[in-house]
Amino acid sequence: MCNLSQGIRENATDNAITGVIMNMHRDGYSSEQIARIVEKTIEEVEAVIKKREPVLA
């Protein structure tokens, strides 16, 4: 049961960080600025942004 609660906690944290990254991206922050603030690599930030941006047809 302990592993389940740990997984839920990690998932919630990941979702919160993803939300922060996307909000900052929409507000015009650069990938470098976002990475510095959320303490992730630029590559991780850009992967989140790429995954979450809608694809226009």
Side-chain angles (χ1 to χ4, degrees):
M1 195 56 102
C2 184
N3 289 336
L4 176 60
S5 63
Q6 179 66 27
I8 292 170
R9 188 175 304 121
E10 288 174 2
N11 189 33
T13 301
D14 290 346
N15 287 340
I17 292 172
T18 297
V20 169
I21 290 170
M22 293 309 297
N23 286 337
M24 293 177 75
H25 174 68
R26 275 191 290 271
D27 287 346
Y29 286 83
S30 70
S31 295
E32 292 82 6
Q33 292 171 315
I34 298 170
R36 187 172 1 101
I37 292 168
V38 299
E39 298 179 342
K40 298 288 183 186
T41 66
I42 294 170
E43 292 79 16
E44 289 171 317
V45 168
E46 290 176 348
V48 168
I49 292 169
K50 185 175 182 178
K51 182 178 177 184
R52 295 292 181 144
E53 284 185 340
V55 177
L56 301 176

